[in-house]
Amino acid sequence: MRKEALVAGALALGLIGLTGCGGSSSGSTADGKTAMTWAMWVGGTDDQKNWEKVADDVSNTLGDVKITLQGSTFQDYFTKMSTQLSSNTAPCLVSVQSLRIAQLKDGMLPLDDLVKKNNLDLSAFDSSMIKGLSADNNLYALPYDVGPVMMFYNKDMFDAAGVSVPKAGWTADEFVAAAKKLSANGKHAIAPNTADLFVESQVLAYNGGRVLKEDGTMDASDPTFAKGLQWVSDLTNKENVAPQLPGGDPAFSANEFLAGNTAMNIDGPWSLLDVKGKAKFKVGVTTLPAGPGGGKTFSAGSGWGISKQCATPDKAFAALKEMTGDKVLGDLAAAGRALAARTAQQAKWIGNAGIPGVAETLKGAEATAVPMPSNTNSDQLGQLFNQYLVKSINGQQSAADVMKDIAAQLPR
Amino acid sequence: MTLLKPAKAPLPEGAATIPPGKAKTKGKAERDAQLGRRTMWGPAFALPHGLGLAIFTLLPIVVSLIISLFRWPLLGTPSFLGLGNYQRLFSDPIFGQVVVNTVLFVVLYVPLNLVVSLGLAAWLTPRIKGRHIFRVIFFIPSITPVVANVVVWRMLYQPGGFIDGTLQSTTGISAPNFLGDEHWAMMAIVVMSVWQGFGYNMLVFSAALDAVPENLTEAAAIDGANAWTIFWRIKLKLISPSIFFGTMMTLITSFQVFAQPFILTKGGPGSSTSTIVLYIYNQGFQFHQLGLASAAAWILFVIILGVTAVQFLGQKKWVHYDA
């Protein structure tokens, strides 16, 4: 029996060895073109077609490469990409969110030399995104979209309550005053949102408190942030303009907004057209309410880079250049798919959106938006926010104590 | 063991079926079969399954044990820690709380589940009209996906939801924020889980109760035993193997509770509903600490193994296998 077990074991190991060698980062097609795979998160059939078209268009323009899309859902993308990068099966072209650059950068190629070699003008891109996609003074991806975090509002609810719609640059006091008028008959002005990007933006706009410092380090015990978080929590506990959180539901505030139960929601431009399509009311946007010492907002976006395993980085860069070129980003903007990271192409997206306040808000945000830094512990922080902010928002614990608990659990 | 060794002595093709005319030339194989000796066909038929077991169960188990001895980030190079991960887990107050939460869930959930499922199974005697329909209805929660159940229960639990709404309109009192309050969240998850999970045990118990020989219950009735006595003194003893099976399976699966807290609370508020498997998931797939996750998985394995072993030891006292 032992011998058979050995044979079975040997076979098993052999099989695993075989599967480990699957997938190569680049090769060539039958007609001599360089084949490369592009990994991207895909939100559905339309999205898939949209990105496939980008892949085909760029392949046709360049002539000597053939790009194939490898799509996965956004939820799975980063786990899958981390696995692929660590097991040497990553594709040549890698998509990455600015918030997650720190997690993937070890498997990605710094692009600075290639940018220089190809005389690519980075000043045509939104500067916050170039910063956002850099780490340790290296640029790891070229951005395709950009998004300052902003406030979406339900214009119909504002009108019904007789409150004038907010203007870009409104203050926290104006926000609370309007929120009080909007909260009546079981409706609330805004629902709490524990997603790291949104709650951190809300606090940054209120008093400038931040967990993620400009240099990318994390300090969850920052007292200014705790004060800002207390203000956010007090919207539920003291001002009664926000409902309690019903457990850990990341989509709560967005669902409440879409259902017409709240008048405002914090979100990014990437979901604006989706929200506009789903909402049964008029959607408007404005900047996040600014308090003393605040006034800024975080921006996040995504870009495309090259994996270290790519055998043909020069050709991959040529493809990247084309993918983030005026034509592709202009088309994506005009189709409403992405607010272009190339500032010259943003007007097309704004024109397509047709939403009141978009142009002013973006203009306002452009001046005040700072890239949300990425940190290897960002996912952990996001998870802890989901678990612990409920306590502060539902009034079971002070924001300072909640942040103390969170800080104690983050690796130092 | 006398084994034919496939590598050294492969049988010619078609050796499995011995044509009647050639039986004498294959005398040895026939004699082997008659003597009940092993041929290579037994292991050969078991091989596909054995391979599956080796590749998809044994190997991952061994690998996870190895990984648990390393600091093993998903991206980057692993470094050997020895028992460092275990040390870290045992000194981590959060992991301690996670274990306590899991035990709390088990202690609340398992008895509740057994009482509800046994109670309903006992109620669903053949005398109940439409018992098959009831059985199906009670079993539905077990076969609907947890995710769908959880979404419905969230609507029941949330402020302004069904429970809160009904309470407010009838009594004017508002219900607690079940999932958003750390004192209620675990209770809310247990109740939801019992509703979701009792159907399976109910079906097993119901079938076992049906199999109790009628002559025994009749004899007891003639001796003057009432329905209660018959249930406690006869039926319960006779279905004790099923109860043992149900208890063990429920215990094992309840230690692995994941989906309910994952979707309803994300482990919060605070860490009040974090369970061991949720912790493993977060460490492994959110924070990419595969070593720590594997170590936690092994601790869970040892806990389950221990509890199951105790169960097996204890069964001698209360499980009756001979009717």
Side-chain angles (χ1 to χ4, degrees):
Chain A
M1 215 64 201
R2 202 180 303 148
K3 207 152 208 178
E4 258 147 296
L6 276 177
V7 172
L11 264 172
L13 283 173
L15 275 177
I16 282 164
L18 277 179
T19 49
C21 305
S24 64
S25 51
S26 71
S28 32
T29 60
D31 48 1
K33 290 180 183 177
T34 308
M36 54 180 82
T37 308
W38 164 33
M40 180 73 195
W41 49 85
V42 169
T45 322
D46 282 351
D47 217 22
Q48 171 100 16
K49 276 187 198 145
N50 174 46
W51 296 121
E52 269 168 5
K53 189 176 171 298
V54 170
D56 291 344
D57 286 354
V58 171
S59 303
N60 289 338
T61 313
L62 292 174
D64 59 346
V65 295
K66 172 84 189 103
I67 302 172
T68 326
L69 185 73
Q70 172 200 298
S72 39
T73 63
F74 187 78
Q75 287 83 358
D76 295 332
Y77 177 84
F78 288 94
T79 307
K80 183 173 177 179
M81 187 46 61
S82 302
T83 318
Q84 284 190 314
L85 287 172
S86 63
S87 60
N88 285 323
T89 52
C92 246
L93 299 170
V94 175
S95 310
V96 61
Q97 235 193 345
S98 62
L99 305 176
R100 291 187 154 92
I101 202 84
Q103 289 154 36
L104 296 188
K105 72 172 167 51
D106 289 344
M108 293 178 70
L109 195 71
L111 299 180
D112 306 75
D113 292 342
L114 286 163
V115 167
K116 246 182 239 156
K117 207 162 113 188
N118 289 278
N119 292 320
L120 181 66
D121 178 18
L122 291 181
S123 67
F125 292 96
D126 177 288
S127 61
S128 79
M129 283 314 299
I130 293 293
K131 224 172 140 187
L133 290 169
S134 302
D136 332 316
N137 293 320
N138 292 318
L139 179 66
Y140 285 96
L142 296 179
Y144 72 87
D145 83 337
V146 55
V149 173
M150 41 174 79
M151 184 72 91
F152 292 13
Y153 62 83
N154 178 334
K155 188 170 179 301
D156 297 355
M157 263 178 94
F158 272 81
D159 290 347
V163 184
S164 55
V165 295
K167 289 201 177 69
W170 67 332
T171 65
D173 290 340
E174 287 166 343
F175 163 75
V176 174
K180 280 183 177 160
K181 286 184 204 156
L182 287 160
S183 305
N185 308 323
K187 310 255 174 189
H188 288 102
I190 189 167
N193 190 337
T194 55
D196 53 356
L197 176 63
F198 298 140
V199 72
E200 283 175 44
S201 295
Q202 198 176 3
V203 171
L204 184 74
Y206 175 67
N207 69 354
R210 47 197 296 172
V211 179
L212 283 162
K213 308 294 169 198
E214 273 171 69
D215 58 3
T217 53
M218 192 181 275
D219 177 14
S221 54
D222 182 83
T224 320
F225 182 84
K227 267 184 206 149
L229 181 63
Q230 191 60 56
W231 177 75
V232 172
S233 308
D234 286 346
L235 295 177
T236 297
N237 296 309
K238 276 199 189 146
E239 313 285 1
N240 294 318
V241 297
Q244 284 209 339
L245 269 175
D249 177 6
F252 177 65
S253 71
N255 288 342
E256 289 286 285
F257 180 67
L258 275 177
N261 294 333
T262 54
M264 288 175 267
N265 185 38
I266 297 172
D267 210 331
W270 50 85
S271 28
L272 186 54
L273 292 176
D274 186 47
V275 169
K276 187 191 169 195
K278 284 180 185 159
K280 293 190 182 73
F281 48 82
K282 253 203 177 123
V283 180
V285 295
T286 186
T287 51
L288 294 180
K296 291 213 159 112
T297 186
F298 278 125
S299 71
S302 304
W304 298 309
I306 303 172
S307 77
K308 269 185 186 157
Q309 296 150 34
C310 185
T312 51
D314 280 302
K315 290 214 164 140
F317 190 80
L320 273 191
K321 215 173 131 185
E322 202 54 40
M323 283 158 73
T324 55
D326 276 309
K327 172 148 189 336
V328 172
L329 291 195
D331 287 352
L332 287 173
R337 179 58 190 79
L339 173 54
R342 279 185 181 269
T343 38
Q345 302 301 329
Q346 290 181 347
K348 287 183 186 158
W349 185 87
I350 293 167
N352 177 303
I355 284 172
V358 159
E360 302 84 67
T361 306
L362 281 176
K363 216 176 190 181
E366 206 164 273
T368 55
V370 290
M372 169 120 149
S374 147
N375 184 290
T376 39
N377 294 328
S378 288
D379 275 348
Q380 221 143 343
L381 182 71
Q383 169 68 24
L384 291 169
F385 272 180
N386 269 332
Q387 281 178 243
Y388 281 80
L389 293 198
V390 181
K391 286 176 130 184
S392 130
I393 283 164
N394 289 356
Q396 295 153 8
Q397 218 180 356
S398 73
D401 285 346
V402 164
M403 289 313 294
K404 216 184 276 168
D405 283 352
I406 290 179
Q409 290 185 51
L410 287 166
R412 257 151 291 177
Chain B
M1 268 191 245
T2 54
L3 274 176
L4 286 182
K5 285 148 193 145
K8 280 184 186 166
L11 281 182
E13 234 181 320
T17 52
I18 303 160
K22 291 182 180 176
K24 272 173 197 163
T25 55
K26 301 272 178 187
K28 190 182 173 292
E30 200 183 27
R31 249 179 294 132
D32 278 355
Q34 274 168 0
L35 289 169
R37 277 194 201 139
R38 283 165 181 262
T39 64
M40 69 168 288
W41 293 107
F45 282 125
L47 188 69
H49 183 77
L51 267 182
L53 189 75
I55 297 171
F56 298 112
T57 306
L58 296 179
L59 193 83
I61 289 176
V62 173
V63 171
S64 86
L65 186 61
I66 296 168
I67 289 178
S68 77
L69 303 175
F70 284 80
R71 203 186 82 85
W72 198 300
L74 200 54
L75 194 55
T77 38
S79 52
F80 186 73
L81 283 182
L83 295 175
N85 284 323
Y86 294 91
Q87 245 167 22
R88 194 177 140 189
L89 285 175
F90 284 123
S91 60
D92 179 4
I94 294 298
F95 185 71
Q97 204 196 333
V98 162
V99 173
V100 170
N101 288 341
T102 311
V103 172
L104 183 67
F105 177 84
V106 172
V107 167
L108 291 173
Y109 170 79
V110 176
L112 264 177
N113 178 312
L114 291 173
V115 167
V116 171
S117 55
L118 192 58
L120 283 169
W123 174 65
L124 280 176
T125 56
R127 273 182 297 165
I128 299 286
K129 237 185 177 179
R131 70 192 290 244
H132 297 297
I133 297 167
F134 279 116
R135 264 190 189 173
V136 170
I137 291 174
F138 291 147
F139 196 57
I140 285 176
S142 301
I143 50 171
T144 42
V146 190
V147 178
N149 290 341
V150 161
V151 171
V152 174
W153 277 80
R154 202 207 314 267
M155 289 177 188
L156 299 182
Y157 280 145
Q158 69 187 9
F162 181 77
I163 298 176
D164 186 34
T166 317
L167 260 183
Q168 277 199 354
S169 60
T170 53
T171 64
I173 311 163
S174 47
N177 182 356
F178 293 106
L179 299 170
D181 185 329
E182 57 181 333
H183 305 295
W184 284 97
M186 185 53 100
M187 216 39 227
I189 285 179
V190 169
V191 170
M192 189 257 143
S193 306
V194 169
W195 175 84
Q196 150 98 36
F198 77 86
Y200 180 77
N201 281 345
M202 182 208 66
L203 220 55
V204 172
F205 297 158
S206 181
L209 283 171
D210 286 357
V212 171
E214 240 169 81
N215 52 0
L216 288 180
T217 50
E218 262 170 30
I222 289 166
D223 284 347
N226 61 19
W228 272 111
T229 318
I230 292 176
F231 181 76
W232 286 114
R233 306 291 288 270
I234 298 180
K235 286 188 177 173
L236 207 60
K237 301 253 150 92
L238 285 172
I239 67 164
S240 57
S242 301
I243 296 178
F244 175 63
F245 169 78
T247 314
M248 218 171 56
M249 296 312 282
T250 313
L251 257 176
I252 292 174
T253 50
S254 60
F255 268 109
Q256 298 168 349
V257 57
F258 168 73
Q260 297 91 315
F262 177 65
I263 305 167
L264 279 175
T265 60
K266 298 269 172 236
S271 295
S272 58
T273 55
S274 273
T275 60
I276 302 183
V277 179
L278 188 60
Y279 182 89
I280 294 171
Y281 170 83
N282 280 336
Q283 291 301 333
F285 298 104
Q286 296 286 307
F287 316 148
H288 301 164
Q289 294 299 332
L290 301 186
L292 203 62
S294 296
W298 270 89
I299 292 175
L300 176 64
F301 174 73
V302 169
I303 292 176
I304 292 180
L305 197 71
V307 171
T308 312
V310 169
Q311 284 247 303
F312 264 100
L313 289 178
Q315 65 157 331
K316 285 176 198 147
K317 296 213 165 119
W318 63 277
V319 182
H320 310 272
Y321 282 106
D322 36 8

